[in-house]
Amino acid sequence: IRRPFPTEGGRNVWAISPEERDKHDKQFDTLSPATGFVSGEQARKFFLQSGLPSSVLAEIWALADMNKDGKMDRLEFSIAMKLIKLKLQGTPLPSSLPIIMKQPPVPAPSSTGMGSMPNLSMMPGAIAIPALPNGTMGILQQLPPGHMGTGLPLSVSYTSSPLGFSPGMNKATSLLDLGSSSSNSSSTTSLAGSSPKTVPSDWAVPQASRLKYRQQFNSLDKHMTGYLTGGRNLIMCVRALISRISLSVRTLADVDKDGKLRGEEFILAMHLVDMAKTAQPLPLTLPIELIPPSQRRQALQDTQRREEERRQQKEREERERREREAREQEERRRKEEERRLERQRELEIQKEEERLKEIERKEVKRHGNKHRQISERLNDAQRRRTMQRSELELTNQRRDTSRLDINSLQRQLEEYQRKLSQLTPEQQRLSDKLRNMALNNLPVSTMSTLKRSASEKDGVCRKLKQQLDALENETAAKLADMDQYQNDIQVRTFNILGQLDDLRESQRKQQSALDKLRSIKEDKRRELERQRAQEEERKRREEEEAQRKSAALTSFRALYPFTARNQDELSFEADELIEVDESTEREQGWLYGCRQGKMGWFPESYVERQAKPETPAVINATPAATTTAVATTAVYATVAKQNSAFTPTHAPHHAPLDQIQVAGSLQAQALCSWTAKTESHLNFSKDDVIWVLEQQDSWWLGELNGAQGWFPKTYVTLLGENEDTTNSINSPPDGSEYVALYTYESPEPGDLTFREGDVILVTQREGEWWSGGIGDRTGVFPSNYVKPKETDTSSNSGKSGQPGKKPEIAQVSTTYTATGTEQLSLAPGQLILILSKNPTGWWLGELQARGKKRQKGWFPASHVKMLGSNSGKSTPAPLPVCQVIAMYDYKAANEDEMSFSKGQLISVFDKNDPDWWKGEVNGVTGLFPTNYVKMTTADTDPSQQWCADLNSLDSMSPQERKRQGYIHELLQTEERYVEDLQIVMEVFHKPMSESGRLTEAEMAMIFVNWKELIACNTKLLKALRVRKKTGGENMPVQVIGDILASELAHLQPYIRFCSCQLNGAALLQSRTDNQQDFKDFLKKIATDYRCKGMPLSSFLLKPMQRITRYPLHIKNILESTQEDHADRRPLREALERAEELCSQVNEGVREKENSDRLEWIQSHVQCEGVTENLVFNSLTNCLGPRKLLHSGKVYKIKSNKELWAFLFNDFLLLTHAAKQFSSSGPDKLFSTKNNTQLKMYKPPVFLNEVLVKLPDPSSEEPFFHISHIDRVYSLKTENINERTAWVQKIKAASEDFLETDKKKREKAYQARSLKASGIGRLLVTILEATELKSCKSNGKSNPYCEVTMGAQIYTSRTLSDTVNPKWNFNCQFNIRDLYQDVLCITIFERDQFSPDDFLGRTEVPVATIKKELENKGPATRRLLLHEVPTGEVWVRLDLQLFQNRASK
């Protein structure tokens, strides 16, 4: 007899009310269900919070999991929650699930309601915290992971349910909100209503609580990330503040549901905890007044989105439920039989396990005592070993610290010894000079000066010796301490090793006994595991079969290019095909696919689904198919060159039969492994070689190890033919012909200009700019201006018998050597097939050499003779005497004359008549007047433009002429570039500034530091002009590399400009798009004739273009410079400087964040008291671009004064705020909305003069000291980690600074110490300089002098606050080439924060010195400084030539 179901208030007690269902759905959503289900592990953790025994919960799971799939949907979860609630109320569980629980929710009668849930706070293990009115507990503590069992395989029995319940877990430490009656559910009171009345505010959290918990959040956010992560780390962090925190409170506080608590969310969570502690009810959902103001809009959108998703989820679940019930009816009989067999097998396995357990108990009982003793001894030995290891590590740390101190002292000792060795010869020299002057009865003043100098040197030497002695004593003490440490370490190590040997022996014996026990246990379990393995293998095969049947690849086409941001993502370009396995579990909005053998994630919105082609059938290898394969091999050979494995096709539909490619003997190599998804697919591993039988769009048919199947072509690469195809994609073969689509003209040297229809021979394709040639002209040009030349079938028509134009054949008459890769080298007798003729006299042809690969290229027409088409006789082409350019248009007046247009190139064949010459243009021959043309000798050859003296040109080698042409080209382009910079200031900057259309900040953002660019390039241009003028106009320049190497180092303004140029261009584009009047204004001022029709945006790109041209110019000059030329080494240095500058500019663009932060510091830090202008976003003096390495808040130890420290790669800056402000991290400190002004606390501390020390390495206090010359800064941080970061980064930056400075000094010293064989030496004494022009506003300067001759360089000392320095500085140079060596004297102003400023330069060729001083002995000269308004330098020169070498 079936027991009637209990009722309550006229309603079945098992019925689920709509209110309970809604509450269960909310709790279901908090578990983050995947595809509408929660796993057994998720449900187990949640159900354990009810406090019910694990056996009862397992019985509830068996009732609620209706389809026995090991997971729960919303209906099953609601049934389980209802059963748990009834069990807690004392209602016994039913033997089978009531039908009413499977039906939709039944509304509760209005007269009565279900009783509220009993107060579970009195249960054992529960926390005594007041319950909320809705039946939930305010505080919920998460169970530690050790108290939870692991999940077991799916089973009907209670002991092995998916929840993994085990006995002894009924003491839950938290309460589960199981849902209350409808009356209690509807009586939920909002948090704002139950809170005490406060002053009206935008946020319900009191201001005092905000400040309090903001400080706690800042202290917990040790890494200043701006958020706290959830889980165990968050609980560990918060445990120091509150006793427990509820999962529901964290769920409410995490407004954006990202698993992290940011500052406002943390404050909200703590406020909710305070409310729970005061017994105030918590809401089920967060009211609008409690949501942080910054996240309300997002929260409202998320609420609406969740409601919509919930509605859609319910509809989807209803459909799934109906479908599931239908499937259950069909599979019930089959599953009933399987369950019966399963129960039988489980009983057998259980009996076997019980028998094995009984045997194990007997074995363990016999060996238990012995095993326990062995384990205890082993644990004791391991503890002793751990303690000894920790002591050894501590000793090693102390030893390493001592070694570091000793190394530092040794470096200082070496430095002092080097200084002493340098000063000793100088002291001896001064002493000798003093004795000589005494003998010559020099004036008393000079003697006193020398004596004073000698006494000063003696004092310095004595001080250095004292310091050296102190360092040696300190080093000896340190070495003694280190020896003592090493002895102690050796003794301890010996004792420890002895103990370890004893422990190892004992452990070995114990391990052997344990191994015997384990072997007995393993032998008895092996049979049982074999049976289990067979059962699992059967289930796995069934699951794989089910997955294989359901899985399939889908093709997607890329709509936009996507660049991977990490290794897990996949990069692709627009229109490429990606293969996607949609069965892969993924996040919403992301897909996992494969392209060209590379796999990764990419956004779903970047692609569109392709029409799925029908699965191609396998073609049997019949004789007919073989015949077709052979017939189509030639067709595929052509198509394969167009569509390789790396070139996706874009056919929107399935390929028709006539487009199917049957690849007879093609082989492909696997790029990565591929697993078959259906029976018709082919499995292979990486690097397998597959025979390709057929190709269709993105799927190919192949054969491997006797098996045939289809596979995606993106997983393989073709072998053999495809190698050539792949190579042709990256680097086309020499001789690729392209036709110009448009006329391209460029003022930039090195560019190839052409007209529409010209044939270009492309030699290299890289990016958007290709290299090629037309005749003897070569250069780069934009790739979108040309198209591939179509194959001219008419030229080969004679071979196939079809009518067409006969090919033109020419025979080489004279030898010609190619000067470039795009030209042909000719030998007499060779035959050339003429492909194209250029009016300039250069023809394009194909060399017909037997036994050799045919080559295409340009050659001069004067070196060949045409062969007649009918007779075998050759008709030599007339040789042009010269070529001229038309200055005006001319129309023929007689039949023997010819017409031409301005600018056309005319080949002259006869110029016997001085007024009328005979020539040819565009295939027309005739007479023309000589006054209409001009010679092209100096205009067409860039190597001759610099000089009008043909005799001088004839005396030079071709390589030297080319070198001088490139130098002249550099000068001309630099002049044009400086003119363009001036045009921007006059045409654009001045009118835009005066019009008031842009603010000063916007003008600064657009033009950045344009005036600085003008200044540095003007200085470079002046230096080049001085060098040109020194050698004489229209005369060759001997050395130019030293100027380029020196001046390129001072182009640091380009780093700032290029870093900020993107922001300026974006602002200009935004204003132009949004303001029509501003756009019209720019167009109006751009009509100036000097602009040549170019807008402002084009001029703003010129600095970036120019900075990339310097390496090309220098490389051209270097390639045309002989190996033994004196300018070759300076040119190599200049090329390194230019490439380094380009890399620095690129790095500056990439490191935009660093640049923005430096700009923020520039505008927010007041650098008062600094003698020179400090520009943060610029070059340092010797370390390249300035970088911000670290920043943060520190405190003075004594006064506890708050300081903001900024660590750069060259100095440390300490600042303090004008008024107190708080910042939780560097992101907020450098925010554009942060208008806080900082003041410099102390002058900047240079890192080559600092020493960082810790009071005690083992100290727990976050203190550290910075020693700078005679000052010590004692600072502290907020925690130990921050102190460690500061100390490590300051030490690393200081070491880099010292290493760079050391390398610079060593390089200069090595260049001077080289003993090169020369023809003489030049002794130079820099006496003084007068009337220098200071770069500072106060008129003072800190000058020093740099004297160079090629790679030899000397630098004087720096004198402070003077414009008339007196150095009396001596140096000596080896003369290698009397007519190429140049003495260069440059004066700089020493700067601390930027590269040294230029104060003037003068140059004197050694040949000039020889001419002036010949047979006269040493002489003093006054030299004017160039490139500056005023300044001169007095030098004493003494040239000594070695007679035997000078005569040679």
Side-chain angles (χ1 to χ4, degrees), residues 1009 1012-1013 1016 1050-1058 1178-1179:
N1009 56 344
E1012 296 181 9
L1013 302 184
C1016 61
H1050 297 84
L1051 297 184
Q1052 73 276 10
Y1054 281 89
I1055 299 175
R1056 182 185 178 194
F1057 177 84
C1058 296
S1178 65
L1179 282 181

Side-chain angles (χ1 to χ4, degrees), residues 333-347:
R333 294 180 180 178
R334 182 178 57 83
K335 287 187 177 182
E336 188 65 25
E337 182 65 21
E338 291 179 354
R339 282 197 295 270
R340 186 181 64 79
L341 296 175
E342 184 71 18
R343 283 195 296 270
Q344 184 177 355
R345 286 194 297 268
E346 287 179 354
L347 289 174

Side-chain angles (χ1 to χ4, degrees), residues 291-537:
I291 298 177
S294 60
Q295 298 180 346
R296 287 183 182 173
R297 180 179 180 87
Q298 182 64 27
L300 292 175
Q301 294 177 353
D302 292 342
T303 302
Q304 294 175 359
R305 178 178 55 79
R306 285 195 295 270
E307 289 295 330
E308 181 65 18
E309 291 177 354
R310 178 183 173 187
R311 183 182 61 79
Q312 295 177 358
Q313 182 68 19
K314 286 185 176 180
E315 295 176 357
R316 186 163 55 253
E317 288 174 353
E318 185 64 20
R319 291 194 302 269
E320 293 175 355
R321 184 182 62 81
R322 289 194 295 267
E323 294 173 358
R324 188 167 56 254
E325 290 178 354
R327 289 195 302 269
E328 289 176 355
Q329 294 295 334
E330 295 174 357
E331 297 179 358
R332 185 166 297 165
R333 294 180 180 178
R334 182 178 57 83
K335 287 187 177 182
E336 188 65 25
E337 182 65 21
E338 291 179 354
R339 282 197 295 270
R340 186 181 64 79
L341 296 175
E342 184 71 18
R343 283 195 296 270
Q344 184 177 355
R345 286 194 297 268
E346 287 179 354
L347 289 174
E348 294 175 356
I349 293 172
Q350 187 174 2
K351 290 179 181 179
E352 182 65 21
E353 287 179 349
E354 289 176 356
R355 187 177 65 82
L356 291 175
K357 287 181 181 179
E358 183 64 25
I359 296 174
E360 288 177 2
R361 278 196 297 270
K362 294 179 181 179
E363 295 289 341
V364 170
K365 186 175 181 180
R366 184 167 58 252
H367 300 283
N369 296 332
K370 186 176 180 180
H371 181 269
R372 189 180 304 107
Q373 294 175 1
I374 293 173
S375 299
E376 290 175 355
R377 293 177 60 188
L378 182 61
N379 293 334
D380 293 339
Q382 290 177 349
R383 278 197 300 271
R384 289 195 301 271
R385 181 181 179 183
T386 303
M387 294 175 61
Q388 292 168 354
R389 184 177 296 170
S390 62
E391 292 177 359
L392 183 61
E393 290 176 353
L394 181 59
T395 305
N396 291 336
Q397 291 177 359
R398 292 177 179 174
R399 182 198 61 192
D400 295 338
T401 304
S402 301
R403 283 182 177 176
L404 292 176
D405 294 339
I406 291 173
N407 292 336
S408 176
L409 291 173
Q410 287 178 348
R411 285 197 297 269
Q412 295 181 13
L413 177 61
E414 293 173 358
E415 183 67 19
Y416 285 128
Q417 288 177 347
R418 187 183 61 80
K419 290 183 179 179
L420 182 60
S421 63
Q422 292 178 355
L423 290 175
T424 301
E426 188 173 357
Q427 181 187 8
Q428 184 66 30
R429 185 181 59 81
L430 290 175
S431 300
D432 296 341
K433 189 173 183 179
L434 184 61
R435 286 194 299 270
N436 295 333
M437 293 177 67
L439 295 174
N440 296 333
N441 294 326
L442 292 178
V444 178
S445 60
T446 306
M447 292 291 294
S448 61
T449 303
L450 292 175
K451 288 180 180 179
R452 194 184 313 105
S453 176
S455 62
E456 290 176 357
K457 296 296 182 179
D458 290 337
V460 173
C461 290
R462 283 194 296 272
K463 290 181 181 179
L464 288 176
K465 287 181 179 179
Q466 292 174 0
Q467 294 177 0
L468 180 61
D469 295 337
L471 282 175
E472 288 177 349
N473 296 333
E474 188 174 357
T475 303
K478 290 289 184 180
L479 288 173
D481 294 341
M482 187 173 178
D483 292 338
Q484 184 64 30
Y485 274 122
Q486 289 179 347
N487 294 333
D488 296 341
I489 289 172
Q490 290 177 357
V491 172
R492 292 184 181 181
T493 304
F494 182 80
N495 296 334
I496 291 172
L497 290 176
Q499 296 176 3
L500 286 177
D501 292 336
D502 297 337
L503 291 174
R504 288 194 184 99
E505 184 64 26
S506 176
Q507 184 180 4
R508 203 163 27 247
K509 294 179 180 179
Q510 296 168 2
Q511 188 65 34
S512 61
L514 289 176
D515 291 340
K516 292 180 181 179
L517 293 175
R518 289 170 182 164
S519 62
I520 296 173
K521 181 178 179 181
E522 291 299 325
D523 292 339
K524 294 180 179 180
R525 286 193 177 183
R526 191 170 293 121
E527 182 64 25
L528 181 60
E529 289 180 355
R530 186 181 61 79
Q531 297 178 0
R532 290 180 179 177
Q534 292 177 355
E535 183 65 22
E536 291 176 358
E537 180 66 20

Side-chain angles (χ1 to χ4, degrees), residues 39 264 523 695 704 747 1212 1269 1389:
S39 64
E264 293 178 342
D523 292 339
Q695 295 175 318
L704 176 64
L1212 173 67
I1269 307 178
E1389 179 178 359

Side-chain angles (χ1 to χ4, degrees), residues 668-926:
Q669 186 175 15
L671 297 173
C672 59
S673 300
W674 160 254
T675 303
K677 305 300 181 181
T678 64
E679 295 179 355
S680 61
H681 291 173
L682 179 66
N683 281 305
F684 53 81
S685 302
K686 183 179 180 181
D687 296 331
D688 284 351
V689 178
I690 306 166
W691 287 93
V692 180
L693 304 177
E694 182 181 336
Q695 295 175 318
Q696 287 191 11
D697 288 342
S698 58
W699 286 87
W700 290 358
L701 177 65
E703 181 178 355
L704 176 64
N705 298 329
Q708 291 186 358
W710 293 90
F711 58 91
K713 75 172 187 180
T714 55
Y715 279 69
V716 299
T717 178
L718 285 175
L719 299 177
E721 293 182 1
N722 191 55
E723 294 178 357
D724 297 337
T725 306
T726 307
N727 295 333
S728 66
I729 294 174
N730 298 327
S731 56
D734 294 341
S736 299
E737 298 179 31
Y738 284 74
V739 180
L741 295 173
Y742 320 99
T743 299
Y744 175 66
E745 297 180 356
S746 172
E748 291 291 335
D751 287 2
L752 178 64
T753 59
F754 47 80
R755 296 188 176 276
E756 181 180 353
D758 287 353
V759 178
I760 305 165
L761 196 65
V762 178
T763 58
Q764 187 176 8
R765 295 194 301 181
E766 291 183 0
E768 299 179 357
W769 288 84
W770 296 356
S771 299
I774 301 178
D776 61 339
R777 295 185 296 111
T778 60
V780 297
F781 58 94
S783 60
N784 55 352
Y785 273 61
V786 298
K787 69 174 182 178
K789 182 180 179 182
E790 298 178 358
T791 304
D792 188 5
T793 57
S794 62
S795 62
N796 299 325
S797 59
K799 299 179 182 180
S800 60
Q802 298 177 357
K805 183 179 178 181
K806 295 183 178 180
E808 293 182 305
I809 304 296
Q811 187 177 18
V812 179
S813 59
T814 56
T815 304
Y816 174 74
T817 303
T819 59
T821 57
E822 72 286 346
Q823 297 181 8
L824 292 176
S825 294
L826 307 180
Q830 291 179 332
L831 297 180
I832 302 176
L833 175 65
I834 306 301
L835 303 176
S836 176
K837 295 182 179 181
N838 192 283
T840 61
W842 286 81
W843 292 358
L844 178 65
E846 184 179 25
L847 187 61
Q848 309 291 308
R850 180 176 298 177
K852 296 183 180 180
K853 182 180 179 181
R854 295 187 178 184
Q855 301 177 359
K856 292 182 180 180
W858 294 94
F859 61 91
S862 58
H863 288 260
V864 300
K865 56 185 178 182
M866 298 299 299
L867 297 179
S869 58
N870 296 327
S871 64
K873 297 181 179 181
S874 61
T875 304
L879 300 178
V881 178
C882 63
Q883 291 181 334
V884 294
I885 293 180
M887 296 188 296
Y888 316 99
D889 295 337
Y890 179 73
K891 187 175 183 180
N894 300 310
E895 294 180 356
D896 58 343
E897 297 177 4
M898 67 177 184
S899 301
F900 50 80
S901 301
K902 179 181 178 180
Q904 282 189 313
L905 194 67
I906 304 172
S907 298
V908 181
F909 298 108
D910 183 8
K911 55 178 186 177
N912 294 327
D913 190 338
D915 297 327
W916 289 86
W917 291 352
K918 184 178 180 181
E920 184 266 345
V921 62
N922 294 334
V924 179
T925 304

